[in-house]
Amino acid sequence: MQRLKQKIENEGVVVSESVLKVDGFLNHQIDPIMMQEIGEEFTSRFANEGVTKIVTLESSGIAPAVMAGLSLGVPVVFARKSKSLTLTDHLYSADVYSFTKQESNQISVSTDYLSKDDIVLLIDDFLANGQAVLGMVSMLEQAGSALAGIGIVIEKGFQDGGAILRSRGIQVESLAIVDSLANGEVTFRDEKASSE
Amino acid sequence: MQRLKQKIENEGVVVSESVLKVDGFLNHQIDPIMMQEIGEEFTSRFANEGVTKIVTLESSGIAPAVMAGLSLGVPVVFARKSKSLTLTDHLYSADVYSFTKQESNQISVSTDYLSKDDIVLLIDDFLANGQAVLGMVSMLEQAGSALAGIGIVIEKGFQDGGAILRSRGIQVESLAIVDSLANGEVTFRDEKASSE
């Protein structure tokens, strides 16, 4: 998605060889018009999958997910993050380890909002090692929901989350794939290769 | 806002005389079409205020705020919640006490995304005792930003947040004001009174 890549080039901050900050339009300040375009792009990529629901993770996944939900005409559920869940009745939940923060969080969705009749599009802001998405996939399995595919705003192509998910046969659509952050520069994967 | 009130009546769950759960379309599962209508309603109520930015609080404020941002054509900043901030350099921050959870959280916004040139519309999902909104107002004061007004999806009219804010001369626009949750029933304030 060309406009997203330009935005990343112009406004993204390369903090280290593995950390890209996009607080200016995605993770702290949000550009609603960019989010609408992202939502429409996800819709065009998953239009024929019979999606009944979008699931994302608070907080940065919410804006792109809601715009995709508006465009696809389906509800959006955001999974909640917490340090630990003492009561897990009436919840689907999963442990998610963050390599960046070196801590585990639990994520959860109420059993009221996911069922075996749902065909779910998962959306998240970043895909790195895939732990958060794998946690969401685990909750869908608990609910018996079908997985239509995964929509990612920015994939770190130099980490293995994308490969893990695609090797399971899951359709992963990342709107920008960053292959390197070496020397303070963002290098994108070739557009053609990214849609394979 | 009539459709919102109907939605609250049909899908809201009165948990106690002070707790209304709207997890079905606002706080856990999100109805994107309802959020778009809410965003447009906020836009119509604050269209002449010269708003340059919307500020909200993660996570449930994000969806209505982003839709208002899309409609008004301005960026949205979501304040982050954390148990405690050790580093407050480069941040505007405030303490917010939650009477429901009986705990304090700090909320913060990067100094990069609020300035003295901003005219800010604050948006939040609920207004009860006003602690969260007062924390956001404090961050605007730290930044020297002007406050255009406050847009609230659901105000609990039986708690004092609305009165505190309006007594300061702030324009508070709540799309639904709940005056009572007694006997398991939602009683709304009269529409006319609510727009005073």
Side-chain angles (χ1 to χ4, degrees):
Chain A
M1 194 179 163
Q2 205 48 42
R3 226 177 70 78
L4 174 63
K5 290 182 185 175
Q6 279 167 7
K7 193 103 175 163
I8 294 168
E9 274 177 349
N10 296 340
E11 300 181 27
V13 178
V14 178
V15 177
S16 70
E17 292 207 347
S18 62
V19 178
L20 170 68
K21 252 181 110 169
V22 287
D23 277 6
F25 63 92
L26 181 59
N27 293 126
H28 187 17
Q29 178 168 264
I30 297 167
D31 177 341
I33 294 162
M34 181 88 244
M35 290 306 129
Q36 186 182 42
E37 290 176 23
I38 285 170
E40 287 168 357
E41 181 67 28
F42 283 137
T43 295
S44 80
R45 296 192 188 197
F46 293 100
N48 303 317
E49 305 297 325
V51 172
T52 64
K53 195 159 280 192
I54 291 171
V55 173
T56 188
L57 186 54
E58 65 178 352
S59 290
S60 293
I62 294 174
V66 168
M67 288 300 182
L70 184 68
S71 177
L72 276 167
V74 299
V76 174
V77 177
F78 63 90
R80 291 183 172 134
K81 268 183 225 173
S82 54
K83 278 275 164 291
S84 62
L85 294 169
T86 41
L87 296 169
T88 54
D89 280 5
H90 211 66
L91 291 176
Y92 305 118
S93 65
D95 284 312
V96 173
Y97 183 74
S98 164
F99 288 95
T100 318
K101 297 182 184 165
Q102 298 198 14
E103 62 177 29
S104 256
N105 276 293
Q106 279 180 296
I107 63 171
S108 62
V109 166
S110 163
T111 55
D112 289 342
Y113 303 118
L114 268 183
S115 82
K116 62 177 177 43
D117 299 324
D118 280 316
I119 302 171
V120 175
L121 171 59
L122 293 179
I123 286 186
D124 211 356
D125 57 332
F126 268 92
L127 175 64
N129 49 62
Q131 296 302 299
V133 169
L134 287 167
M136 289 195 276
V137 169
S138 159
M139 291 192 295
L140 298 197
E141 288 167 355
Q142 292 165 46
S145 308
L147 175 61
I150 297 170
I152 298 292
V153 182
I154 303 174
E155 177 177 341
K156 291 179 178 170
F158 53 88
Q159 292 187 257
D160 56 6
I164 291 168
L165 295 165
R166 291 183 181 99
S167 75
R168 290 192 182 190
I170 298 170
Q171 183 186 353
V172 181
E173 296 285 342
S174 298
L175 305 189
I177 301 184
V178 174
D179 264 347
S180 162
L181 294 169
N183 308 314
E185 278 194 23
V186 180
T187 309
F188 292 105
R189 189 170 299 177
D190 178 57
E191 182 87 50
K192 238 177 191 162
S194 77
S195 66
E196 280 178 0
Chain B
M1 194 179 165
Q2 208 45 46
R3 224 177 73 77
L4 173 63
K5 290 180 184 175
Q6 280 168 7
K7 193 101 175 165
I8 294 168
E9 275 176 347
N10 296 339
E11 300 181 27
V13 178
V14 178
V15 177
S16 71
E17 292 208 345
S18 63
V19 178
L20 171 67
K21 254 182 109 169
V22 288
D23 277 6
F25 63 92
L26 181 60
N27 293 126
H28 187 18
Q29 179 167 265
I30 297 166
D31 177 340
I33 294 162
M34 182 87 244
M35 291 304 129
Q36 186 182 42
E37 290 176 22
I38 285 170
E40 287 167 358
E41 182 66 29
F42 284 137
T43 294
S44 80
R45 296 193 187 197
F46 293 100
N48 304 317
E49 305 297 324
V51 173
T52 65
K53 198 160 277 191
I54 291 171
V55 172
T56 188
L57 187 55
E58 62 179 355
S59 291
S60 294
I62 295 175
V66 168
M67 288 301 181
L70 183 68
S71 178
L72 276 167
V74 300
V76 174
V77 177
F78 63 90
R80 290 182 172 135
K81 267 182 228 172
S82 54
K83 277 274 163 290
S84 63
L85 294 169
T86 42
L87 296 169
T88 55
D89 281 5
H90 211 66
L91 291 177
Y92 305 119
S93 65
D95 283 312
V96 173
Y97 182 74
S98 164
F99 290 94
T100 319
K101 296 184 184 164
Q102 299 197 13
E103 61 177 30
S104 257
N105 276 293
Q106 279 181 295
I107 63 172
S108 63
V109 166
S110 164
T111 56
D112 289 343
Y113 304 119
L114 269 182
S115 83
K116 61 178 177 44
D117 299 324
D118 280 315
I119 301 171
V120 175
L121 171 60
L122 295 180
I123 286 186
D124 211 358
D125 55 332
F126 268 92
L127 175 64
N129 48 62
Q131 296 302 298
V133 169
L134 287 167
M136 290 195 276
V137 169
S138 161
M139 292 192 294
L140 299 197
E141 288 166 356
Q142 293 165 45
S145 309
L147 176 61
I150 298 171
I152 297 292
V153 181
I154 304 173
E155 177 178 342
K156 291 178 180 172
F158 53 89
Q159 292 187 254
D160 56 5
I164 291 169
L165 295 165
R166 290 184 183 99
S167 75
R168 292 193 181 189
I170 298 170
Q171 183 185 352
V172 181
E173 296 286 342
S174 299
L175 305 189
I177 302 184
V178 174
D179 265 346
S180 163
L181 295 169
N183 307 315
E185 277 196 21
V186 180
T187 309
F188 292 105
R189 189 170 298 178
D190 178 58
E191 183 86 48
K192 240 176 193 162
S194 76
S195 66
E196 278 177 1

